[in-house]
Amino acid sequence: MYPNSSSLQSLCQNCLLLSSSSLSTILASKVGAHFFFFILRFVNTVICVFNPLRAAMHLIALLQGKGTVDPRKKQDERSTMEIAKLTTRDCIPTTHRSSIPPLVSALKTCADQNAASFHFPGHNRGRAAPSSLVQLIGLKPFIHDLPELPELDNLFSPEGPILEAQKKAAELFGSSETWFLVGGTTCGIQAAILATCSPGEYLILPRNSHISAISALVLSGVMPKYIIPEYDCQWDITGGVTLSQIEKAIQELHMEGKKVAAVFITSPTYHGICSNLADISKLCHSHEIPVIVDEAHGAHFGFHPMLPSSALQQGADLAVQSTHKVLCSLTQSSMLHMSGNIVDRERICRCLQILQSSSPSYLLLASLDATRAQLSEKTDGIFNNALDLAIETKNLIGNIPGISVLGSPGFSNFPVIDPLRLTFGFWQLGLSGFEADETLYRDQGVISELVGTQSITFAINLGTCRDHIQRLASGVKNISVASLSFQKIEGKTDHWGSAPFTDITMCLNPRESFFARKRKVAIGESLGKICGELICPYPPGIPVMIPGETITKNALDYLLLVKNKGATITGASDPLLSSIVICDI
């Protein structure tokens, strides 16, 4: 039976009387004061949750120097000295606890509660977690999979740990404000375009933009002004966009009396090719045009002298980064950074509230906070090992007969390439990237990041180890030896003469075509019709056909080529490409 209020008050008074002789001594030191107030806070918590009598007795024992251990926690037994050390650490003010990221700390505190949970999610802190998944990943992910509890803050109106975490991220990445994203960079790109563009206005963007930018055109009703990026037919790879291309697009729209709402740039590309954002930003700002950068593959930029400067460092107004790619947060977690005052921050907030889930994963959010802390603690040298391994890999494989290495000579207008993104060509061995990739996986267990018709791209990151580098180099060398021994004819693989979207004609804008009536026709009958679906090989997720564009022979032939070589075609209602959906107008 619990004691009544009077008996409980008496016990507490006894605690204070018992400690009065040494209270002044305890409070004299900073550590002692922290320890004492922790005990009071500890008792208050325990009284609310557990047996109040046990709590009071436990306090008396602690003040007498006699540590007691709750028999229900035998697995976590500690001496009184160990408890003192832990409590001293826990009482350090948040501003000094750099080792514990704020959102990670809040999530841990909530997960450690002995709570009677009557809230979502349905697995109830792991109590009803599916056994098959528990066997795979354990219970901890479920225990920490919590909803929007007051202690965990609210993503759309942050005032506590989320706000603090985002402020720390903004300080690290050099932004005026940073937003955490649980819908990936796709969500951030859509929000950036919706926040800067209105229906009927124009967005200048490269034709090889990610599918998320195209979907943002549908959502916003903005009109696209496409720029055809530089293309290397030997590699079947597109590069970035140049200052002159942006300047020409702005001039053409101004001459037509059209308003340019924003300029959208992908830098780096999936292959690590970087555009000159500094000059592009200066040009756009002279016209009061905001610059949005899809920096999904460049969250690590600016954190080492050998790495390219980040988009924000080069003057971009909005940059969206996939923190989960080269950095170490969980997949699907990203950040949106803002700099300057051209873009309305309130509009960004409204767009994110529309686009992001109202039930965000706190595991994803905490992983962003933890990754920020990881980078903050080791900013000076965190990429040293990865860069050394990248150089070693490039030298090892670059000297193998029949192997080509992607470099700036192939893209003279884009001398800057991410040193952690390595692309090797296999056409001199008579092999496509798909064939070489299949061999590497089968013989060495090597899994690449991106496979193309002519090449394979490998991402070096903080977790890359020398053993994996050696397996990759060994596998490529074996492919070279085997191919050359069979005297395969150089140039056996197909070289594409131009980018598959160089001759595009837009009949309907993306939004109009999305809502237009549609019908399906055989692929042979689709030539010259208006495309009704967004079709792209994935990865990299660059659309070959966009709704509203005229279907060309060049685009059809390219899709069939990459499909036959092993690429996965996404967006097509018929994955076999025997038929295509067109706009029936």
Side-chain angles (χ1 to χ4, degrees), residues 477-488:
K477 184 176 181 180
N478 291 341
I479 290 174
S480 172
V481 171
S483 298
L484 293 175
S485 67
F486 282 105
Q487 297 182 343
K488 291 199 172 188

Side-chain angles (χ1 to χ4, degrees), residues 65-137:
K66 300 175 181 178
T68 62
V69 178
D70 190 328
R72 293 171 295 180
K73 297 186 178 180
K74 290 183 179 180
Q75 74 275 16
D76 196 27
E77 293 180 347
R78 296 184 180 93
S79 65
T80 304
M81 184 63 69
E82 289 173 325
I83 292 175
K85 289 179 180 179
L86 286 173
T87 53
T88 301
R89 181 196 68 194
D90 287 344
C91 287
I92 298 175
T94 303
T95 54
H96 295 88
R97 293 173 61 185
S98 59
S99 61
I100 305 178
L103 194 49
V104 174
S105 177
L107 189 60
K108 181 182 184 303
T109 299
C110 284
D112 288 346
Q113 293 173 339
N114 182 18
S117 302
F118 294 92
H119 58 70
F120 301 137
H123 60 68
N124 204 314
R125 305 193 181 212
R127 296 179 181 88
S131 59
S132 58
L133 195 54
V134 171
Q135 291 174 9
L136 180 66
I137 64 174

Side-chain angles (χ1 to χ4, degrees), residues 180-413:
F180 284 0
L181 308 174
V182 293
T185 294
T186 290
C187 166
I189 288 173
Q190 291 172 340
I193 293 176
L194 263 68
T196 54
C197 304
S198 298
E201 297 177 342
Y202 278 78
L203 174 70
I204 297 174
L205 73 165
R207 181 53 181 75
N208 63 331
S209 297
H210 189 264
I211 186 175
S212 57
I214 309 304
S215 64
L217 299 180
V218 175
L219 292 170
S220 66
V222 68
M223 304 288 290
K225 173 68 172 178
Y226 291 122
I227 292 175
I228 304 302
E230 188 172 319
Y231 175 77
D232 189 304
C233 60
Q234 184 81 65
W235 286 90
D236 188 21
I237 288 175
T238 52
V241 295
T242 64
L243 176 67
S244 60
Q245 287 178 309
I246 299 294
E247 188 172 24
K248 180 182 177 183
I250 293 174
Q251 289 175 351
E252 289 177 350
L253 289 172
H254 280 175
M255 290 178 63
E256 296 171 6
K258 308 292 178 57
K259 180 182 178 181
V260 181
V263 169
F264 179 88
I265 306 291
T266 302
S267 183
T269 66
Y270 211 143
H271 298 93
I273 300 169
C274 301
S275 298
N276 187 341
L277 297 176
D279 289 348
I280 291 173
S281 296
K282 289 178 183 177
L283 170 67
C284 293
H285 292 163
S286 69
H287 294 279
E288 297 184 350
I289 299 172
V291 177
I292 305 168
V293 179
D294 174 359
E295 203 175 22
H297 295 271
H300 56 301
F301 282 9
F303 288 103
H304 192 281
M306 290 179 62
L307 294 172
S309 299
S310 71
L312 293 182
Q313 290 170 337
Q314 296 185 70
D317 300 284
L318 295 173
V320 194
Q321 299 176 337
S322 293
T323 320
H324 64 90
K325 292 192 186 297
V326 179
L327 300 183
C328 305
S329 66
L330 294 178
T331 296
Q332 196 177 307
S333 59
S334 296
M335 295 186 192
L336 169 59
H337 305 291
M338 182 179 77
S339 182
N341 55 9
I342 295 181
V343 181
D344 182 356
R345 72 165 298 278
E346 296 299 330
R347 190 166 168 180
I348 292 178
C349 292
R350 291 194 296 270
C351 292
L352 287 173
Q353 188 168 18
I354 291 172
L355 295 166
Q356 294 220 83
S357 170
S358 58
S359 301
S361 167
Y362 279 83
L363 290 172
L364 297 183
L365 295 172
S367 77
L368 289 170
D369 190 24
T371 298
R372 185 275 315 158
Q374 178 189 39
L375 194 55
S376 299
E377 293 165 2
K378 305 175 182 178
T379 304
D380 293 337
I382 191 170
F383 288 104
N384 287 346
N385 185 58
L387 287 164
D388 289 344
L389 289 175
I391 294 171
E392 179 182 337
T393 306
K394 189 175 182 178
N395 292 335
L396 281 173
I397 297 179
N399 290 322
I400 296 175
I403 301 299
S404 302
V405 181
L406 180 67
S408 55
F411 291 94
S412 57
N413 289 323

Side-chain angles (χ1 to χ4, degrees), residues 460-498:
I460 308 298
N461 53 48
L462 296 176
T464 303
C465 60
R466 178 162 277 102
D467 172 65
H468 292 173
I469 296 298
Q470 292 170 346
R471 285 165 63 180
L472 171 59
S474 176
V476 174
K477 184 176 181 180
N478 291 341
I479 290 174
S480 172
V481 171
S483 298
L484 293 175
S485 67
F486 282 105
Q487 297 182 343
K488 291 199 172 188
I489 300 173
E490 182 178 338
K492 172 189 170 185
T493 56
D494 299 302
H495 289 169
W496 210 248
S498 61

